[in-house]
Amino acid sequence: MTQEIDDKLQYLLNTLDPDASLAQRHLWLHGVMEWIRGDDEEDIQKAVGRVRLFLSTVQPLTEWRLRWREWWLRFVTDIDVTPLLADAGFAPRNAFVSEMAHRLRKKIIPATPETTDLGELFVLLFPSLFDAQWIKALDEKTLQQLQAVLLQPMAQEELDPVTSDLSLTLEARETALTQMAGMDTPGAEELSYWQEILIDAISYSLSQINAIGFASEIRTRMASSESTARVFHELPVAMFSFVRVLRLHGAQSEATQLSAQILRGKLQASKLAISTVYDHLDQHGISVGIVFMLKQVRDRVQRVNQLLDCLMSEQQMLSAARMISRLVRISRDRRSLRKLWQENTHLTAAKVAERQALSGESYITRNFHDWRALLGKAFGGGLVMGVAVWFKFVLSALALSIFWTGLTAGINYALAFVVIQLMHWTVATKQPAVTAPAMAAKLKDIDDPEAIPAFVDEVAHLFRSQVAAIVGNLLAVVPMAILISMALQHYTGSPMISDGVAFRTMSNLDIIGPTVLFAAITGVLLFLSSLIGGWLENSFVLNRLDSIIAHHPRSRQLFGTERAARWSQWWRENISGLGANISLGLMLGLVPSFAQFFGIGFEVRHVTLAAGQLGAAAHTLGLEVLEMRPFWLALLGVSLIGPINVMVNFYLAFRTALAAQNVQRVDRHRIYDALRNRMLYTPFTFFFPPSGAAGNKPQS
């Protein structure tokens, strides 16, 4: 292995060519980084050892070091370092969608070594987190050796054996390199190349902070006070004063330290001013674009402070290594689409979860009165779904094309869900998406002694509510489907469906088939509809549509002042439910059609619809159906659809609520023990309210 490393190193040393093209020079540097990483990319000390081997090998090679310094001079002349220090980890534009598209494009199209942007070249040179680890592991002695061998001017005694043609231009080159390498400052007033780069990066970052601070969508949402009014005007002044003092007195002077503290104070003030926008968003709705811009400001303030630390540091090589290590991690995160989505949709998820939690309280039964009322609401919902089952079979009999079959079925389901909402009834499988956030709220203060018992109570309340809702739906939808089929047979001579359709329906619901998988996918659709409803309500509030409906002159002229106010309030209260119900209905109808278009045999498996279809099939086949094996297999399939719909929907909603509330870890053993004790000692509380329990009436 040692001989192999030596051979690779010797090849790299021999191929160093200062006169090579830009791409070839950068590819040579890429080869050096690959050699340092090695093949395993696991042992940090091996990588550090290769750095030391490289330095000890080239230190006595005077001619190679001269070629290296020519190479380095061309590198620092051609390359632009500012984009790396100032822009690494930030979007090229202050927009969430454009950054998402930019990252996606970078994943598809790799970076090229033929670039003068160090930010692009940096990703090619340091593609993994292992690079950040071995760079951070470089000790001060190794960094000092790197500075002495590669970045400082060569001593005269080293130059004596060198040919005269190289010595003739040495003085001019060394003068330029001394200034550019940034490790040998002649006087306190003369700044090094490294310091000049840091100043440029800080200035650029401050201009980006100011640009966001002056943006209309930020400025109009910022708190109006004297402390926030002038903060972004004062930042450039503080920066100009700092640079002026730095050039006059040097980085380590008391005057420069004081000026740096003033600049840091202005940065903190700008960060506090930006934070006031969150209060506005909390009251008036979350915008992902605005949240993205606010995060950019917070991160740029942190970056400026880090750059200031490097600029004021007495150990420039050590601070530079730490900065490069940090930039490797940041550059890797910058390429992650998932991280971008999580960071910038967190507040939106929190707001959606908060609104769903408020809605979910009305679906959780805590006493017998609430439980009986929910059972009645579920019964009403089942009646409507029975009509939807009949109309679904009518549409299927029309034999429309794939798209129109899906669209009409989706409209049918959407109308049924909207009617159920307007009648204040309920469908069981839609509840977990709104009740899970309410339950997760009990875990927000997990260290509170009452948090676990409160959570277990919510689990019992939720489970009991789901049982009541499913039972109420099924007690209504099956008789309703049978009654409609009987009425059709009485008046038209034919039941709701034919014998062939009845057998096909039972076959589709067979537990041996893909019923379980389809039920799980339907649970995902149920969860997505709740997200759409929460997002739609947030957008409604964010764009102040309720105020437009209530106060716009044209709206008042059309509806009148009082009616416009009532109409505004109605939409504010119902927009989330309408969005969730309509989107769910359309997805239940259109997703199977789109899947069929691509040759995927997916069908909706919703427990209420499935039970109604099975009831219609049983009526068509008569009492003899009880002796048929397909009927019992279908009945077993329907019995699994409900729990799977509920569990998948609840799991996704619960995970979203936990993420939105920043509940990273909970004491799972305590929760499991508490749930186990409740099941052992009071199992009936999961199905029926405790006798005599008054409960706390949730506020609607």
Side-chain angles (χ1 to χ4, degrees):
M1 183 65 183
T2 304
Q3 182 62 36
E4 182 183 351
I5 292 178
D6 290 343
D7 291 342
K8 289 183 178 180
L9 177 58
Q10 189 62 46
Y11 172 78
L12 290 170
L13 297 180
N14 293 337
T15 54
L16 175 67
D17 184 6
D19 298 322
S21 65
L22 180 70
Q24 290 300 322
R25 285 186 279 118
H26 292 170
L27 285 173
W28 179 87
L29 187 59
H30 177 265
V32 173
M33 294 304 147
E34 281 194 328
W35 174 77
I36 292 175
R37 278 191 294 270
D39 297 329
D40 49 6
E41 292 194 10
E42 293 180 358
D43 196 325
I44 297 175
Q45 292 306 316
K46 281 186 178 181
V48 174
R50 293 188 186 100
V51 174
R52 293 169 181 161
L53 174 61
F54 180 87
L55 295 174
S56 61
T57 302
V58 303
Q59 186 171 6
L61 303 178
T62 306
E63 291 190 30
W64 187 93
R65 290 175 63 190
L66 280 173
R67 282 192 291 124
W68 158 257
R69 296 192 68 77
E70 290 185 71
W71 188 98
W72 178 249
L73 177 60
R74 293 198 62 181
F75 179 80
V76 297
T77 303
D78 295 339
I79 207 74
D80 186 4
V81 184
T82 301
L84 172 65
L85 297 178
D87 278 341
F90 300 106
R93 297 178 182 86
N94 293 322
F96 174 77
V97 176
S98 65
E99 174 64 4
M100 181 71 74
H102 176 76
R103 294 194 183 192
L104 182 61
R105 185 170 63 252
K106 289 296 183 182
K107 281 185 174 293
I108 298 173
I109 305 174
T112 173
E114 192 175 13
T115 178
T116 59
D117 184 347
L118 186 56
E120 293 184 3
L121 182 61
F122 193 79
V123 176
L124 190 65
L125 297 177
F126 305 108
S128 67
L129 288 178
F130 178 71
D131 294 304
Q133 295 171 348
W134 69 259
I135 292 174
K136 189 175 182 179
L138 293 174
D139 57 280
E140 187 175 355
K141 181 179 179 181
T142 303
L143 291 171
Q144 289 175 352
Q145 185 182 7
L146 188 149
Q147 175 183 350
V149 174
L150 299 181
L151 299 178
Q152 280 187 344
M154 299 174 66
Q156 185 62 41
E157 55 269 18
E158 295 182 274
L159 299 174
D160 291 338
V162 183
T163 57
S164 58
D165 57 331
L166 288 175
S167 301
L168 291 176
T169 57
L170 180 64
E171 183 178 356
R173 289 178 177 176
E174 291 298 338
T175 301
L177 286 170
T178 300
Q179 182 181 3
M180 299 187 70
M183 306 303 164
D184 218 19
T185 305
E189 296 82 6
E190 184 177 352
L191 300 182
S192 66
Y193 172 67
W194 173 244
Q195 289 174 316
E196 293 287 359
I197 288 176
L198 291 171
I199 291 174
D200 288 343
I202 293 172
S203 299
Y204 182 85
S205 299
L206 289 178
S207 68
Q208 294 297 315
I209 294 173
N210 266 11
I212 298 176
F214 286 134
S216 60
E217 56 264 51
I218 300 297
R219 189 178 65 254
T220 55
R221 291 174 170 84
M222 206 179 300
S224 299
S225 64
E226 294 183 1
S227 60
T228 61
R230 302 292 302 175
V231 60
F232 293 101
H233 296 273
E234 296 171 353
L235 265 179
V237 178
M239 179 61 186
F240 176 80
S241 176
F242 167 73
V243 174
R244 181 173 176 273
V245 174
L246 176 65
R247 294 188 186 280
L248 287 175
H249 303 285
Q252 305 306 319
S253 67
E254 293 185 5
T256 305
Q257 296 287 341
L258 178 60
S259 184
Q261 288 299 322
I262 294 174
L263 178 58
R264 292 181 191 272
K266 298 299 181 183
L267 284 169
Q268 182 64 22
S270 66
K271 188 177 179 180
L272 293 176
I274 283 292
S275 66
T276 63
V277 178
Y278 288 105
D279 297 332
H280 185 280
L281 295 178
D282 187 58
Q283 297 178 9
H284 302 286
I286 303 295
S287 166
V288 175
I290 293 176
V291 171
F292 176 75
M293 296 172 70
L294 298 178
K295 187 179 185 303
Q296 292 283 293
V297 171
R298 298 199 315 272
D299 291 347
R300 284 194 182 275
V301 169
Q302 183 179 7
R303 176 67 57 81
V304 171
N305 282 317
Q306 293 169 354
L307 294 173
L308 282 172
D309 291 338
C310 290
L311 183 60
M312 308 295 289
S313 174
E314 296 182 5
Q315 299 175 315
Q316 291 190 14
M317 284 298 297
L318 187 61
S319 63
R322 299 298 179 264
M323 173 62 75
I324 293 173
S325 175
R326 190 181 299 115
L327 290 176
V328 172
R329 296 179 181 276
I330 292 173
S331 297
R332 183 173 176 84
D333 291 341
R334 166 76 187 279
R335 301 193 294 273
S336 172
L337 293 171
R338 180 180 180 183
K339 191 172 185 64
L340 174 70
W341 179 265
Q342 289 177 340
E343 288 176 347
N344 294 281
T345 58
H346 168 74
L347 285 182
T348 304
K351 182 56 66 176
V352 169
E354 177 185 329
R355 298 185 188 281
Q356 298 288 9
L358 294 175
S359 302
E361 286 289 344
S362 61
Y363 293 103
I364 298 179
T365 62
R366 294 177 173 83
N367 52 60
F368 184 77
H369 177 271
D370 292 341
W371 182 82
R372 186 174 59 184
L374 181 61
L375 190 66
K377 292 178 180 180
F379 192 88
L383 294 177
V384 177
M385 294 304 291
V387 178
V389 169
W390 165 65
F391 203 68
K392 187 260 184 186
F393 284 123
V394 172
L395 294 173
S396 299
L398 297 178
L400 300 174
S401 64
I402 295 176
F403 172 76
W404 291 108
T405 298
L407 180 61
T408 52
I411 294 174
N412 172 41
Y413 297 145
L415 287 175
F417 292 140
V418 170
V419 169
I420 292 172
Q421 176 192 351
L422 296 179
M423 296 298 295
H424 301 289
W425 294 335
T426 187
V427 178
T429 51
K430 285 176 57 41
Q431 293 178 19
V434 293
T435 53
M439 191 176 72
K442 304 298 181 182
L443 293 177
K444 191 172 184 179
D445 300 319
I446 190 64
D447 295 329
D448 190 333
E450 300 297 324
I452 299 299
F455 175 79
V456 175
D457 287 340
E458 289 298 294
V459 172
H461 297 330
L462 175 63
F463 192 87
R464 182 169 62 242
S465 303
Q466 286 298 298
V467 171
I470 292 177
V471 170
N473 282 164
L474 298 184
L475 286 177
V477 69
V478 175
M480 187 65 177
I482 294 175
L483 286 175
I484 293 175
S485 185
M486 292 174 61
L488 290 172
Q489 188 171 21
H490 176 75
Y491 289 105
T492 65
S494 299
M496 185 185 300
I497 55 177
S498 63
D499 290 356
V501 175
F503 280 111
R504 189 162 59 249
T505 298
M506 290 190 298
S507 176
N508 291 337
L509 298 175
D510 195 328
I511 191 175
I512 301 177
T515 294
V516 173
L517 176 62
F518 291 167
I521 298 175
T522 304
V524 175
L525 298 181
L526 289 162
F527 166 70
L528 292 178
S529 70
S530 69
L531 288 186
I532 293 173
W535 170 83
L536 188 61
E537 182 181 6
N538 179 75
S539 300
F540 184 89
V541 175
L542 177 66
N543 294 287
R544 305 189 65 188
L545 295 183
D546 51 344
S547 179
I548 294 174
I549 295 173
H551 303 297
H552 194 277
R554 187 170 298 178
S555 176
R556 289 192 169 195
Q557 183 180 4
L558 181 63
F559 300 111
T561 303
E562 295 184 1
R563 186 176 298 175
R566 291 197 303 269
W567 193 237
S568 169
Q569 184 65 23
W570 186 89
W571 276 106
R572 177 69 180 265
E573 295 173 352
N574 293 277
I575 185 65
S576 178
L578 291 174
N581 287 319
I582 294 174
S583 63
L584 175 60
L586 293 176
M587 284 192 293
L588 293 180
L590 288 172
V591 170
S593 296
F594 279 112
Q596 186 178 354
F597 178 80
F598 290 102
I600 302 173
F602 167 68
E603 296 181 7
V604 169
R605 290 293 181 267
H606 187 280
V607 62
T608 310
L609 294 172
Q613 294 170 9
L614 185 60
H619 174 263
T620 297
L621 299 175
L623 293 177
E624 293 81 3
V625 75
L626 298 177
E627 301 176 0
M628 298 179 182
R629 182 172 180 268
F631 170 77
W632 294 106
L633 291 177
L635 186 62
L636 289 175
V638 172
S639 66
L640 283 181
I641 291 175
I644 293 173
N645 285 162
V646 170
M647 286 189 296
V648 172
N649 188 8
F650 173 78
Y651 172 77
L652 295 174
F654 186 64
R655 288 291 301 270
T656 301
L658 290 181
Q661 295 181 5
N662 283 325
V663 181
Q664 300 297 330
R665 292 183 180 180
V666 297
D667 193 340
R668 296 184 179 182
H669 294 293
R670 290 169 56 201
I671 294 176
Y672 294 154
D673 290 343
L675 286 172
R676 192 179 299 111
N677 291 334
R678 175 67 67 89
M679 292 178 184
L680 288 175
Y681 297 108
T682 55
F684 289 104
T685 59
F686 287 93
F687 300 93
F688 304 100
S691 58
N696 295 323
K697 185 74 174 176
Q699 295 179 357
S700 58

